[in-house]
Amino acid sequence: AHKWAYGRNPIYYDFEELGGDCTNFASQVMYEGGGFKKNSTWNYNNGAGSRAWVNAQSFKNYMLYSGRASSIINGAYDKVLQSSYKLLPGDIIAYEKKGKIAHISIVTDIDSKGYALVNSHNSDRYRVPWDLGWNDKGIRFWLLHVNY
């Protein structure tokens, strides 16, 4: 997650021009860094990723419905803030806008006050606060604990 936050791992296709690379990045981190096993639904092979590997909405749904992640909480910032202190490195945050997951980030650290820090692609970010400035009242956050 730290090595490729501001770059692209050359063994993976960069989906930036095809709608974004955030979910592909999180999937790579979970696979390469977290030892998360690929399967027929969540997979990347020969330059192509499955929907669950590269699409933010499909990724969030797959993670929850497969049991590979569990929901800590979802809602507006003020509703999820207290529960955000339960996030651990390797957990996922999905950012919902207008009823659709628009972005994915992965928790990489916790700051000295217990606030989760994330890395992500698209607007490439390295160890930034998990809310990523998404303080718009229309944003819902999905905090997911990944079951490694």
Side-chain angles (χ1 to χ4, degrees):
H2 294 313
K3 181 176 182 178
W4 298 110
Y6 288 126
R8 300 298 185 265
N9 185 334
I11 66 172
Y12 291 94
Y13 186 80
D14 178 2
F15 291 90
E16 190 77 31
E17 301 299 320
L18 297 175
D21 198 58
C22 61
T23 309
N24 179 43
F25 175 70
S27 291
Q28 290 172 43
V29 171
M30 293 169 63
Y31 176 70
E32 298 283 348
F36 218 66
K37 304 288 184 223
K38 295 178 190 175
N39 60 36
S40 60
T41 305
W42 184 77
N43 197 3
Y44 183 94
N45 194 17
N46 295 323
S50 66
R51 269 186 83 69
W53 184 281
V54 301
N55 177 274
Q57 182 77 41
S58 296
F59 175 84
K60 187 268 300 177
N61 290 342
Y62 166 70
M63 295 299 290
L64 287 175
Y65 298 127
S66 70
R68 295 188 99 177
S70 51
S71 178
I72 296 171
I73 194 169
N74 71 79
Y77 180 80
D78 58 347
K79 179 183 176 188
V80 305
L81 176 59
Q82 193 60 40
S83 294
S84 74
Y85 290 92
K86 297 177 184 176
L87 289 165
L88 300 170
D91 286 345
I92 296 291
I93 301 172
Y95 305 81
E96 179 183 323
K97 187 173 185 176
K98 297 180 181 176
K100 183 178 176 189
I101 302 300
H103 186 62
I104 297 288
S105 67
I106 189 160
V107 177
T108 54
D109 278 307
I110 307 296
D111 75 9
S112 63
K113 294 186 169 126
Y115 208 72
L117 304 175
V118 299
N119 289 10
S120 69
H121 274 183
N122 289 2
S123 295
D124 295 357
R125 299 180 192 263
Y126 174 76
R127 297 187 73 232
V128 299
W130 66 268
D131 57 13
L132 295 173
W134 290 69
N135 56 2
D136 177 323
K137 296 290 183 205
I139 300 298
R140 290 177 53 96
F141 299 90
W142 289 75
L143 310 184
L144 307 180
H145 173 69
V146 177
N147 302 316
Y148 285 95

